Amino acid sequence: MKTKIGVLALQGAVREHIYHIEQAGATGKIIKWPHELDEAAGLIIPGGESTTIGKLMVEYNFIDAIRDFYAKGKPIYGTCAGMILLAKKITEGDQPLLSLMDIEVRRNAFGRQRESFEADLNIKAIGALKAVFIRAPWIESISDGVDVMAEFDNIKVMARQGGLLVSAFHPELTGDLRVHKYFIEMVREA
Amino acid sequence: MVETGTLRVKTGLAEMLKGGVIMDVTTPEQAKIAEDAGAVAVMALERVPADIRAAGGVARMADPTVIEKIVSSVTVPVMAKARIGHFVEAQILEELGVDYIDESEVLTPADEEHHINKWDFKVPFVCGCRNLGEALRRISEGAAMIRTKGEPGTGNIVEAVRHMRSVNEGISWLKGLREDELFAAAKDLEAPYEYVKWVHDNGKLPVVNFSAGGVATPADAALMMQLGADGIFVGSGIFKSADPAKRAKAVVQATTHYTDTDLLARVSKDLGEPMVGIEISQIPEAEMMQERGW
């Protein structure tokens, strides 16, 4: 049976992640309510507006549900807004967080939309990749046990800590499936 | 190599807004209410469309002071409107650092023949449309996001429904054509062949399509989502109602869970008075905003 990966579908780039999951050989499942998490072996928290997704997570009791999901040993991948939501701490501002990963994240760190960019990255265990950054956050600092997987201009933009994977950029907006394949492998090994 | 202002970066932000609600605001206080309710972005304006309609005269880009105050009051993206064809207003908005420009029929057009050449800008544009041909003309000019026009400032959903159905019928029709019929289809749609071919091959628009112009209730928002909108613009519907904070939150929830009738029934309760609606046939033809642009 194919590995089933959930995509948190409160708002944001949901269908791109579903498409990438399916292209990469797993089954994608849209998650709109906490009980739907039971069916998934892994979860992607997509890009979108982190304040909006955070507020809706509180509204529908997703904060505890996703923490329980992770406590069962199921991996989670957060892109952009998803990375913010997984962080223990954000540098400025106040918003609901899952506070699972030992990183501090700065929101909109690369600037507003006119500063949004594409750049070539070299990712550990994956290789060279064209990355799309949109009003992107960056990883301000990490604690022991967090493995930095990619940097741009000496700024940390992708990291892994056990079953948690985060990227400041959006592999789902390119035709490249390697990051999703990497995450699906994490889920299969969990 | 680092590249800014690429099409992928422009359309990418619109992808991130999907499933969300973009709200018209005129003050930093309203912007905070919108953000707290879960809006994915705000549209910074001097007046909401209902007030523009009531005031008459020439409606222009908002005062940069209004826009800057709103930009500094929220962390969600900020959009602002330029007049159709007024590329200098757009240049000013880009300079101010807004995240998206709406080349909008809500303002008085500055050019009756030419829309802005949106390829000239690093900031992305959203444009209105009533049908597939109009959508593809705007995309060919560089729009990175489309919204159906509806009839702004009316609180009447009928035109929004008409335009969304029209775009989607156009897509279904193109999908079913033979390859050798696409040239004549491009002529009929008055749209460039390459975009007509793209829609035929992919069965969808190349950019995100939101619904705008007439949303006043959570049910209106869910209706547009069920008809295929990628997200919702609410103009006058929030801040012309009796309890904006409550209504804003209800519209956000209805947009997320647009097929969940139990939730839709729940969030529709006790919202207070909606904005006063206008029957479309009561609007003099010269005051129809959707007729602006081509």
Side-chain angles (χ1 to χ4, degrees):
Chain A
M1 204 179 85
K2 282 186 180 177
T3 309
K4 196 176 269 187
I5 310 278
V7 179
L8 185 67
L10 296 176
Q11 188 271 314
V14 175
R15 69 171 173 240
E16 290 77 8
H17 276 297
I18 296 280
Y19 179 80
H20 273 58
I21 289 166
E22 308 230 316
Q23 290 294 305
T27 302
K29 159 125 184 93
I30 287 176
I31 307 282
K32 290 227 175 208
W33 296 105
H35 68 85
E36 293 167 336
L37 285 167
D38 297 342
E39 288 176 50
L43 177 69
I44 292 179
I45 304 177
E49 270 308 306
S50 65
T51 45
T52 305
I53 298 173
K55 282 172 204 304
L56 292 171
M57 277 170 53
V58 172
E59 183 77 32
Y60 306 128
N61 302 315
F62 265 111
I63 300 277
D64 286 338
I66 293 174
R67 284 179 183 156
D68 289 347
F69 180 86
Y70 182 64
K72 288 178 193 152
K74 295 180 177 179
I76 306 176
Y77 171 32
T79 54
C80 194
M83 173 168 105
I84 296 168
L85 291 159
L86 283 170
K88 278 260 162 78
K89 188 173 177 229
I90 52 171
T91 311
E92 273 171 25
D94 179 34
Q95 68 159 85
L97 298 174
L98 291 161
S99 302
L100 286 172
M101 189 166 176
D102 291 314
I103 55 173
E104 179 177 332
V105 171
R106 184 183 288 272
R107 298 188 51 200
N108 301 144
F110 286 101
R112 303 194 69 85
Q113 176 61 15
R114 66 180 172 197
E115 282 87 41
S116 293
F117 64 100
E118 296 184 44
D120 297 309
L121 295 184
N122 197 3
I123 301 175
K124 197 188 269 190
I126 290 174
L129 181 139
K130 177 74 122 183
V132 184
F133 292 84
I134 294 172
R135 287 170 46 94
W138 69 43
I139 302 172
E140 189 87 7
S141 64
I142 59 168
S143 302
D144 291 346
V146 177
D147 184 21
V148 176
M149 293 184 64
E151 294 191 341
F152 168 77
D153 260 1
N154 296 318
I155 294 164
K156 301 170 192 66
V157 293
M158 184 169 181
R160 178 175 174 182
Q161 180 179 24
L164 299 171
L165 182 70
V166 292
S167 68
F169 54 90
H170 296 281
E172 77 281 8
L173 292 185
T174 68
D176 201 317
L177 298 173
R178 287 173 297 162
V179 176
H180 287 80
K181 284 184 174 161
Y182 178 87
F183 178 65
I184 292 166
E185 212 40 52
M186 276 174 63
V187 175
R188 285 177 183 150
E189 285 167 7
Chain B
M1 198 173 70
V2 178
E3 293 176 282
T4 57
T6 61
L7 184 60
R8 189 144 65 179
V9 159
K10 289 174 169 178
T11 56
L13 177 56
E15 303 287 354
M16 296 308 139
L17 300 175
K18 282 201 306 261
V21 182
I22 300 164
M23 298 182 194
D24 280 4
V25 299
T26 58
T27 64
E29 294 72 34
Q30 289 186 355
K32 281 305 290 177
I33 291 170
E35 187 177 56
D36 289 343
V40 288
V42 294
M43 178 77 71
L45 290 164
E46 262 181 38
R47 284 186 290 215
V48 296
D51 290 336
I52 290 174
R53 189 176 283 286
V58 175
R60 310 178 180 90
M61 176 187 81
D63 184 325
T65 308
V66 173
I67 294 167
E68 280 176 336
K69 278 186 186 158
I70 289 168
V71 164
S72 60
S73 67
V74 290
T75 61
V76 295
V78 177
M79 300 184 168
K81 290 186 195 292
R83 281 179 266 178
I84 290 172
H86 205 315
F87 52 85
V88 174
E89 285 188 348
Q91 290 164 4
I92 292 169
L93 292 174
E94 183 172 51
E95 181 63 33
L96 292 171
V98 306
D99 297 295
Y100 241 94
I101 295 175
D102 183 5
E103 186 182 18
S104 178
E105 68 280 5
V106 167
L107 306 181
T108 310
D111 191 326
E112 292 185 334
E113 197 168 354
H114 305 286
H115 284 249
I116 297 170
N117 176 5
K118 294 162 273 287
W119 298 112
D120 278 350
F121 293 79
K122 284 200 185 282
V123 61
F125 281 75
V126 55
C127 289
C129 70
R130 286 161 297 176
N131 51 52
L132 180 60
E134 196 171 6
L136 295 180
R137 288 193 290 277
R138 296 295 86 76
I139 294 166
S140 74
E141 296 157 1
M145 178 178 184
I146 288 293
R147 55 174 177 73
T148 46
K149 284 177 170 174
E151 187 57 29
T154 60
N156 188 339
I157 201 67
V158 66
E159 296 300 303
V161 168
R162 188 192 319 281
H163 298 159
M164 187 59 69
R165 283 194 186 275
S166 169
V167 169
N168 291 336
E169 277 166 18
I171 293 170
S172 305
W173 168 68
L174 267 191
K175 260 167 72 177
L177 292 186
R178 288 159 47 99
E179 295 256 335
D180 60 3
E181 292 166 338
L182 296 177
F183 302 97
K187 188 197 84 180
D188 291 345
L189 289 169
E190 300 179 303
Y193 168 78
E194 57 189 296
Y195 291 95
V196 170
K197 173 86 163 60
W198 196 97
V199 173
H200 166 75
D201 292 348
N202 293 278
K204 60 177 185 178
L205 285 176
V207 303
V208 163
N209 182 21
F210 274 45
S211 169
V215 173
T217 68
D220 290 344
L223 173 66
M224 297 317 297
M225 293 297 288
Q226 288 198 28
L227 285 174
D230 289 315
I232 302 290
F233 281 88
V234 191
S236 319
I238 302 290
F239 290 100
K240 282 283 159 193
S241 74
D243 189 346
K246 193 169 182 188
R247 184 167 295 265
K249 196 174 165 193
V251 171
V252 168
Q253 293 207 50
T255 303
T256 298
H257 289 292
Y258 60 90
T259 56
D260 191 319
T261 48
D262 172 57
L263 177 135
L264 294 175
R266 204 153 19 91
V267 302
S268 297
K269 284 178 186 162
D270 303 323
L271 293 178
E273 278 297 304
M275 72 178 284
V276 178
I278 303 173
E279 164 55 34
I280 301 297
S281 62
Q282 302 302 309
I283 304 171
E285 209 167 318
E287 291 175 22
M288 291 283 277
M289 289 176 172
Q290 61 176 278
E291 304 296 333
R292 297 165 168 178
W294 53 281

